[in-house]
């Protein structure tokens, strides 16, 4: 059983479009959810955390959490070529920190 | 802006040798973590450390691995007898007491076992 699942992509969107990234998790008791961005050969960089059901906005990023469906998503508005990276969903479940395999996002100029 | 640092950036070793990977967490952080990422695969949790002891560890973190905080600033990961499959990027992370689950990652050490 995979603790965190993501579509590996690549997800290609044109510059200026909305990119939608999705993640599901298996531990129904999970309380903390995170989105990280990872450029090739670099370390994960925290973008957002979310703890409550609903939406959380930070600039061009919106995280959405639905605990009943065990689903987390990240929307990136006005996507830029510099947003091209792998986006990692991370969840604290079973008292451990689990990352998904990541979704590769390609923003085309 | 404070950041986590790691040394060396790249370590090459022979199978069976011991390696020590070093990390300097952000200065006021008290929770420390090690992760690894095999090339092309996901980031995997190894161990968390608080108050000079291991808080949690994964199935990967077997007897070949150990962690230590030898002084007030460094946090180390030791692999006693490296195997080919230990080749990976190793990331250190730290978090503070206010938000223990918000972790900041170092740049990583690429370990290559020949």
């Amino acid at each position: 059983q995979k603790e965190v699942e993501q579509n590996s992509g690549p997800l290609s969107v044109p510059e200026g479009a909305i990119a939608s990234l999705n993640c599901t998790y298996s531990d129904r008791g999970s309380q903390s959810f995170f989105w990280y961005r990872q450029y090739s050969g670099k370390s994960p960089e925290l973008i957002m955390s979310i703890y409550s059901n609903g939406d959380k906005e930070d600039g061009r990023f919106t995280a959405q959490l639905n605990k009943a469906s065990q689903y987390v998503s990240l929307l990136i508005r006005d996507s830029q070529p510099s947003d091209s990276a792998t986006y990692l969903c991370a969840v604290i479940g079973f008292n451990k920190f689990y990352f998904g395999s990541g979704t590769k996002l390609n923003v085309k100029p | 802006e404070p950041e986590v640092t790691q040394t060396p950036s790249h370590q090459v070793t022979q199978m069976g040798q011991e390696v020590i990977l070093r990390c300097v967490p952000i200065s006021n952080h008290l929770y420390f973590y090690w992760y690894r990422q095999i090339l092309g695969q996901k980031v995997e949790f190894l161990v968390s450390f608080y108050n000079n002891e291991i808080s949690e560890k994964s199935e990967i973190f077997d007897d070949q691995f150990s962690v230590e905080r030898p002084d007030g600033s460094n946090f180390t990961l030791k692999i006693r007898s490296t195997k080919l499959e230990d080749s990976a990027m190793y990331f250190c992370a730290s978090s503070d007491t206010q938000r223990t689950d918000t972790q900041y990652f170092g740049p990583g050490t690429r370990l290559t076992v020949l």
Side-chain angles (χ1 to χ4, degrees), chain B residues 9 56 58 90 105:
Chain B
S9 57
E56 294 284 346
S58 71
Y90 287 80
F105 281 71

Side-chain angles (χ1 to χ4, degrees), chain A residues 28-39:
Chain A
R28 190 168 282 280
S30 297
Q31 297 295 322
S32 304
F33 309 88
F34 307 86
W35 283 100
Y36 283 81
R37 176 173 61 197
Q38 187 175 31
Y39 293 109

Side-chain angles (χ1 to χ4, degrees), chain B residues 23-80:
Chain B
C23 168
V24 179
I26 293 172
S27 62
N28 63 340
H29 285 189
L30 297 177
Y31 294 80
F32 314 118
Y33 312 85
W34 283 102
Y35 295 85
R36 79 172 185 191
Q37 186 174 30
I38 296 170
L39 187 63
Q41 297 187 26
K42 66 180 178 181
V43 176
E44 297 174 291
F45 169 78
L46 293 179
V47 66
S48 60
F49 190 87
Y50 171 71
N51 201 24
N52 281 321
E53 59 183 31
I54 290 173
S55 309
E56 294 284 346
K57 60 182 181 178
S58 71
E59 301 76 21
I60 302 168
F61 194 88
D62 61 21
D63 292 344
Q64 292 297 316
F65 292 89
S66 62
V67 289
E68 194 178 33
R69 187 150 164 83
D71 53 42
S73 59
N74 288 283
F75 179 51
T76 62
L77 175 70
K78 182 193 290 186
I79 308 175
R80 285 190 186 80

Side-chain angles (χ1 to χ4, degrees), chain A residues 5-6 8 16 22 24 35 38 44 46 50-51 54-55 59 68 70 72 84 90 92 96 104:
Chain A
E5 294 207 46
Q6 294 181 254
S8 62
N22 305 312
T24 58
W35 283 100
Q38 187 175 31
L46 180 66
I50 186 166
Y51 306 98
D55 295 0
Q70 295 175 242
V72 194
S84 297
I92 295 183
K96 294 186 178 67
K104 189 173 173 62

